[in-house]
Amino acid sequence: MSGIGGGHEDVDIDLGGLFRAVWQRRSRVVLATLGAAAVAFAAAKMIAPQYESETRVLIESREPEFSGAGQLPQSGSDRIFDESGIASQVQVLRSADLIKQVARNMKLHELEEFDPSAHPSALSDLLVMLRMKKNPLELPPEERILREFNSKLQVYQVEKSRVIAIAFTSKDPKLAAAIPNEMAKVYLSLQSGAKLDSNSEASRWLEPEIANLREKVREAEAKVAAYRAESGLLPTSETENFATRQLSDISAELARVRGERANAAARAEGVRAALADGRAVDTLADIVGSPMIQRLKESKAALEAQIADVSTSLLDGHPRLKGLRSQLEGIEAQIRSETRKILASLDNEAKVGQLREQQLVQQLNSLKAQSAQAGEEEVGLRALEREAAAQRQLLETYLVRYREATSRSVANATPADARVISNAVIPALASFPKVIPITIVAAFASFLVSCVVIMLAELFSGRALRPTSVATPTVAEPAPASAAPESASNVPYEASVAAVEPQSGKEREVREPNAAEQDFSIESVADHLLGHGVRVAVSVSPGGDEGSMAAVMLVRLLAEAEQKVVLIDFSGSVCPTRLMAQSPHLPGITDLLAGEVAFSETIHADRFSDAHVIPRGEADPRMAMRGIERLQMIVDALTNAYDLVLIECGQADAEAVAKVARREGTEIILSAPSVSEEKIVEELTRFGQAGYRDIVLMTGAGRPGPDFPDRRAA
């Protein structure tokens, strides 16, 4: 701030001087605060108390229990359940007609609280005479009561619910509880009455409509019957008439006759073929089944038996033997004659079947023509039936609605789609004024105003302003760790640092570093990585698995800080893989370097954090090391997806780390919990001799490290 007080020198605000000025005038501040509190307390006590009570109404469907799915749907009731429907019910509760009904029921016009204009004060009369105020008595009493009622009423929807709250404020606690309850009662009565009127109007409208529909249904059904009689479409079933049924029967009979004729012709042809070929006919079914043939066969068999018997004792020329053979020839002739008769019978049967088929075909053609004509006539019949069915269905629907409407036209048959879930009770405490809160707020406001007034007075008087000094001494920053000599581990930490002011050349002692500057814990290393925006870090664990465990803890700690972290397990003991991966046999970095798996198959989630891990893998480490040149590309790809890539090398030396830490800006972390200071110094010296100047030491959770001047040591 410059140019204050008429001078040109820079000035500054003396905050201490402002607070000292307030403290010096503390008695005034206390008196003003106590005075304001006393005035507020007295004023709050003088105000007439106001009491508030609330009734809550739930908007829900209140259909009678006998209502069914097939009855009249109450679409109007369904509409009141959405947000706009609830808001509409709020406006119904605030409507003038409902409030006037409540006022008449409770005789509010007799109470002075609801019509204070009926007894105006002298000041009010004076203002009216001077035309500075409109005469309130010009309004009708109902309007005055309505305006006063609305000023005390609150109707609102409870958030994210179908509940409407009715709150009322009054000087009388009993009245504050009675009015919301009466409003809910009147509201439910109006809603029920509206539904009753709707049902009554519906029944009155449906009566003439039902009578008209009955006449239309009767006429439509009469037209159907007359048309059916004129066209001869006599029904035999629900889907067939007489013509179609007769056509179906003739078709079935024709198919049967054709089958029988074909069968008879085939049998006759079989017998004829057997006779023509000279084959035995006794194997044919028609021949075998003939009783005459069977008797002749029996006689033939008997004669053959006699001939065989006589032939043993008589010569061929014997008369008896000749007679028997003559009888056998006669029987065979009879068999052939009988066979020809059967053949003629089968031919006759085939001819009769053919004649029957011709007659049936003629009848079928005649019926087809009649059926076609009947189909054309059925078009008109179906049109008349559809019209009659539509009129009949509409009549049935109207009858159902009429029965439901008349059943709901009686009192209490249609309850309102709302119910009271919380009645207002007489309040025991006043809602206004709150004496104690008003007193506290007034006292606090008075205290703040007093302090601000005193501070402003000090600023405007100039007593709270001071000139700034021309030169400000500077303190030299400690040298970075990279500028330290290679044997920095052997340099003792100085207890103080000297700084020289540029103007005077005087030395002054700066503070000794605190414990946080000597903290080598996991939390401190995590803060260091976050603060410096490190993207790639290499962890070396000279102590073995304990160092690898500390690296895993570091990764999980960074993951808890909402950092996207991935750990690459290059350790020989596979400790990070065992701690983080779901299984020690998952594909990992060695498989990726050997080219045996895809890149995405090697990244796995940590079991106990949001961090990721690339396990050691199952491939041969010697084969994997042949592709170590690909590691830099893998790390670069991971840095595009993760905030930090940590490579755990285990008990690796500086030469092995050099193959991994090729990326510029890679941080080297020496994870050495439970490792002696001599061992730490030895490791730092080795890395320093290898050319590494910036080594971050991590000795575990809460364990102090060696007496080094900085977290970075080399």
Side-chain angles (χ1 to χ4, degrees):
M1 184 183 295
S2 61
I4 298 179
H8 295 282
E9 63 178 1
D10 292 337
V11 295
D12 198 1
I13 297 176
D14 186 6
L15 296 178
L18 291 176
F19 287 108
R20 283 194 298 272
V22 173
W23 179 251
Q24 291 173 0
R25 297 169 178 80
R26 59 185 179 276
S27 57
R28 300 180 185 177
V29 174
V30 172
L31 289 176
T33 302
L34 293 178
V39 172
F41 183 82
K45 281 293 187 181
M46 293 175 62
I47 298 175
Q50 299 284 335
Y51 298 90
E52 182 179 358
S53 190
E54 181 181 88
T55 296
R56 296 200 170 191
V57 178
L58 174 63
I59 306 299
E60 64 178 1
S61 177
R62 299 289 304 283
E63 293 297 330
E65 294 182 357
F66 58 81
S67 295
Q71 294 179 338
L72 181 64
Q74 300 295 318
S75 58
S77 299
D78 297 337
R79 287 195 297 270
I80 67 174
F81 296 145
D82 55 14
E83 289 295 328
S84 59
I86 302 299
S88 301
Q89 299 306 310
V90 171
Q91 296 303 318
V92 171
L93 282 164
R94 296 187 63 91
S95 63
D97 292 340
L98 189 146
I99 294 175
K100 289 178 181 179
Q101 181 65 36
V102 173
R104 286 192 293 269
N105 294 346
M106 302 191 68
K107 299 180 180 180
L108 299 182
H109 60 278
E110 299 178 358
L111 301 178
E112 183 180 354
E113 179 182 355
F114 290 90
D115 193 8
S117 302
H119 305 282
S121 60
L123 178 60
S124 178
D125 291 338
L126 179 61
L127 293 176
V128 171
M129 291 177 60
L130 297 176
R131 298 188 179 277
M132 298 178 63
K133 178 183 177 182
K134 187 177 180 180
N135 188 3
L137 297 178
E138 294 179 357
L139 295 174
E142 281 191 354
E143 295 297 328
R144 297 198 301 269
I145 294 174
L146 183 62
R147 183 174 59 182
E148 189 67 23
F149 194 101
N150 283 324
S151 65
K152 299 174 180 292
L153 176 66
Q154 288 184 0
V155 181
Y156 59 92
Q157 176 188 359
V158 179
E159 186 178 3
K160 297 181 180 179
S161 68
R162 298 200 304 267
V163 176
I164 298 177
I166 308 171
F168 194 82
T169 303
S170 176
K171 297 178 181 178
D172 185 359
K174 295 182 179 180
L175 197 62
I179 288 180
N181 292 333
E182 183 66 21
M183 287 187 67
K185 180 180 178 182
V186 173
Y187 169 74
L188 296 178
S189 177
L190 290 177
Q191 291 293 91
S192 178
K195 295 177 69 175
L196 187 63
D197 293 342
S198 176
N199 292 325
S200 300
E201 292 176 1
S203 60
R204 285 195 299 269
W205 178 82
L206 286 171
E207 285 180 356
E209 291 294 326
I210 290 174
N212 188 22
L213 277 176
R214 282 175 175 167
E215 184 64 24
K216 289 182 179 180
V217 169
R218 188 188 64 78
E219 293 177 357
E221 291 179 347
K223 289 181 181 179
V224 171
Y227 187 88
R228 192 187 298 276
E230 291 176 0
S231 57
L233 299 175
L234 301 178
T236 58
S237 64
E238 294 182 357
T239 58
E240 292 183 346
N241 54 31
F242 183 77
T244 57
R245 180 63 177 272
Q246 191 176 13
L247 181 62
S248 175
D249 293 343
I250 292 296
S251 299
E253 180 67 16
L254 178 61
R256 186 186 65 79
V257 169
R258 284 177 176 174
E260 290 179 353
R261 180 186 63 80
N263 186 28
R267 287 155 56 194
E269 185 65 25
V271 174
R272 187 178 292 108
L275 291 175
D277 296 341
R279 292 183 285 110
V281 296
D282 54 357
T283 59
L284 299 177
D286 294 312
I287 304 301
V288 174
S290 175
M292 179 60 70
I293 297 294
Q294 290 179 359
R295 287 195 297 272
L296 291 174
K297 287 285 186 180
E298 292 175 357
S299 299
K300 180 182 177 181
L303 286 175
E304 288 177 348
Q306 289 181 8
I307 291 172
D309 186 26
V310 173
S311 296
T312 58
S313 59
L314 298 178
L315 297 175
D316 292 339
H318 195 276
R320 185 179 179 186
L321 186 59
K322 290 181 179 180
L324 291 174
R325 288 176 178 172
S326 177
Q327 292 178 6
L328 181 61
E329 292 176 357
I331 291 175
E332 289 178 351
Q334 290 180 2
I335 290 174
R336 288 193 294 271
S337 176
E338 191 67 29
T339 301
R340 284 191 292 271
K341 289 179 181 180
I342 293 174
L343 177 60
S345 175
L346 291 175
D347 289 336
N348 291 333
E349 184 179 351
K351 290 179 181 179
V352 171
Q354 185 176 6
L355 293 175
R356 179 60 177 162
E357 180 182 354
Q358 292 175 357
Q359 294 176 356
L360 289 175
V361 169
Q362 293 177 359
Q363 294 180 4
L364 183 64
N365 293 333
S366 176
L367 287 175
K368 284 182 179 179
Q370 296 178 7
S371 179
Q373 183 179 359
E376 295 177 357
E377 293 175 349
E378 278 189 350
V379 175
L381 178 62
R382 284 194 292 269
L384 294 175
E385 288 178 343
R386 284 195 299 270
E387 179 66 22
Q391 297 291 343
R392 190 183 305 108
Q393 184 178 4
L394 183 59
L395 175 61
E396 292 174 355
T397 302
Y398 276 18
L399 287 173
V400 171
R401 295 187 177 185
Y402 179 76
R403 285 194 295 268
E404 184 176 2
T406 52
S407 66
R408 294 185 178 185
S409 298
V410 297
N412 300 326
T414 54
D417 290 328
R419 63 184 177 91
V420 178
I421 61 173
S422 175
N423 283 305
V425 296
I426 299 176
L429 300 176
S431 61
F432 182 83
K434 301 292 185 181
V435 179
I436 301 301
I438 290 176
T439 303
I440 294 174
V441 171
F444 185 69
S446 176
F447 173 77
L448 289 181
V449 170
S450 301
C451 294
V452 170
V453 168
I454 294 173
M455 290 181 180
L456 289 176
E458 290 294 313
L459 288 174
F460 285 118
S461 65
R463 292 189 295 270
L465 302 178
R466 63 180 180 182
T468 59
S469 58
V470 178
T472 304
T474 60
V475 179
E477 294 290 334
S482 59
E486 295 182 4
S487 60
S489 59
N490 299 325
V491 179
Y493 180 74
E494 299 296 339
S496 62
V497 179
V500 180
E501 296 182 1
Q503 290 78 10
S504 61
K506 298 180 181 179
E507 293 184 359
R508 69 184 182 90
E509 185 177 308
V510 298
R511 63 181 178 84
E512 183 175 344
N514 54 25
E517 294 175 338
Q518 295 180 346
D519 186 7
F520 296 90
S521 65
I522 298 175
E523 292 80 2
S524 180
V525 174
D527 294 339
H528 166 73
L529 296 177
L530 291 174
H532 289 76
V534 177
R535 302 300 304 277
V536 181
V538 177
S539 175
V540 181
S541 304
D545 287 350
E546 292 186 0
S548 299
M549 292 174 62
V552 172
M553 295 172 64
L554 174 63
V555 167
R556 290 175 175 172
L557 184 62
L558 291 171
E560 291 179 359
E562 299 182 355
Q563 294 290 306
K564 299 175 66 176
V565 191
V566 61
L567 184 143
I568 302 177
D569 187 4
F570 254 109
S571 65
S573 62
V574 202
C575 177
T577 300
R578 294 196 307 268
L579 293 176
M580 301 180 69
Q582 299 291 339
S583 171
H585 303 292
L586 296 175
I589 187 65
T590 57
D591 303 287
L592 185 60
L593 292 177
E596 297 178 356
V597 295
F599 188 82
S600 59
E601 297 179 6
T602 61
I603 301 177
H604 306 278
D606 181 20
R607 292 184 295 172
F608 302 111
S609 71
D610 294 334
H612 288 170
V613 60
I614 298 181
R616 165 72 176 276
E618 297 293 313
D620 187 0
R622 289 176 294 181
M623 294 182 60
M625 292 306 294
R626 295 176 185 174
I628 194 64
E629 299 296 333
R630 300 175 56 193
L631 180 63
Q632 187 60 44
M633 293 186 295
I634 295 172
V635 173
D636 292 339
L638 291 173
T639 55
N640 294 329
Y642 292 92
D643 298 326
L644 174 64
V645 179
L646 179 62
I647 306 173
E648 171 58 30
C649 296
Q651 295 178 328
D653 54 11
E655 181 180 356
V657 172
K659 297 180 181 180
V660 177
R662 296 183 180 183
R663 178 187 174 93
E664 184 178 355
T666 301
E667 196 81 41
I668 307 298
I669 301 175
L670 185 63
S671 180
S674 302
V675 178
S676 63
E677 295 185 2
E678 292 78 5
K679 180 68 173 177
I680 294 176
V681 172
E682 182 181 350
E683 291 293 332
L684 291 175
T685 303
R686 290 179 182 176
F687 277 95
Q689 292 174 354
Y692 295 100
R693 293 294 181 266
D694 295 336
I695 307 295
V696 177
L697 180 60
M698 181 171 65
T699 59
R703 178 197 167 198
D707 193 12
F708 296 140
D710 192 1
R711 173 181 298 110
R712 291 171 173 267

